Amino acid sequence: MKMVMAVIKPFKLDEVRDSLTELGVQGVTVTEVQGFGRQKGHTELYRGAEYEVNYLPKLKLELAVSDEMVDRVMETIAATAQTGQIGDGKLFVWDLGTAVRIRTGESGSDAL
């Protein structure tokens, strides 16, 4: 099992979710986050005053998938979330030791 974490632009969420659902992914955790990368923020004008926005709004998606699905999940997220502009996001994958479905007590890949 693997844990896939994706940081994407907020307006891409519905499209990514639909693509993952078609792929057979049954659950995703979504968190609103802020951060910066190569974009390094930007300057905005508010009520005549200029101010710097250092952290940009993003969404963090976390999903546990079987080893067989990880490549397809990564390809799907990358293709769906891509706009071609700076700040499209990142994908991270790491090994998931175990998982337990609390309701039934199932563990391992049965819990996914």
Side-chain angles (χ1 to χ4, degrees):
M1 295 179 300
K2 303 284 186 195
M3 178 63 78
V4 177
M5 182 179 78
V7 179
I8 65 170
K9 292 182 175 184
F11 68 89
K12 285 294 199 169
L13 177 62
D14 291 335
E15 197 175 336
V16 169
R17 179 181 178 257
D18 292 344
S19 296
L20 289 172
T21 301
E22 286 177 19
L23 196 61
V25 172
Q26 295 187 8
V28 177
T29 300
V30 179
T31 310
E32 292 181 11
V33 295
Q34 294 183 29
F36 73 92
R38 291 186 178 158
Q39 280 179 291
K40 299 195 179 36
H42 61 277
T43 304
E44 287 189 4
L45 196 60
Y46 180 72
R47 293 189 179 187
E50 191 174 282
Y51 67 99
E52 193 170 322
V53 178
N54 292 319
Y55 299 99
L56 300 172
K58 301 288 182 179
L59 293 179
K60 179 171 73 169
L61 283 58
E62 296 171 296
L63 49 154
V65 297
S66 65
D67 291 334
E68 301 81 40
M69 286 191 67
V70 74
D71 289 333
R72 287 182 290 159
V73 165
M74 289 181 60
E75 290 167 5
T76 299
I77 294 171
T80 309
Q82 183 180 30
T83 66
Q85 302 295 315
I86 192 166
D88 275 349
K90 295 263 197 270
L91 284 165
F92 303 95
V93 178
W94 60 89
D95 290 325
L96 184 61
T98 190
V100 175
R101 180 171 297 166
I102 295 172
R103 179 178 55 87
T104 61
E106 295 170 292
S107 63
S109 14
D110 292 337
L112 300 180

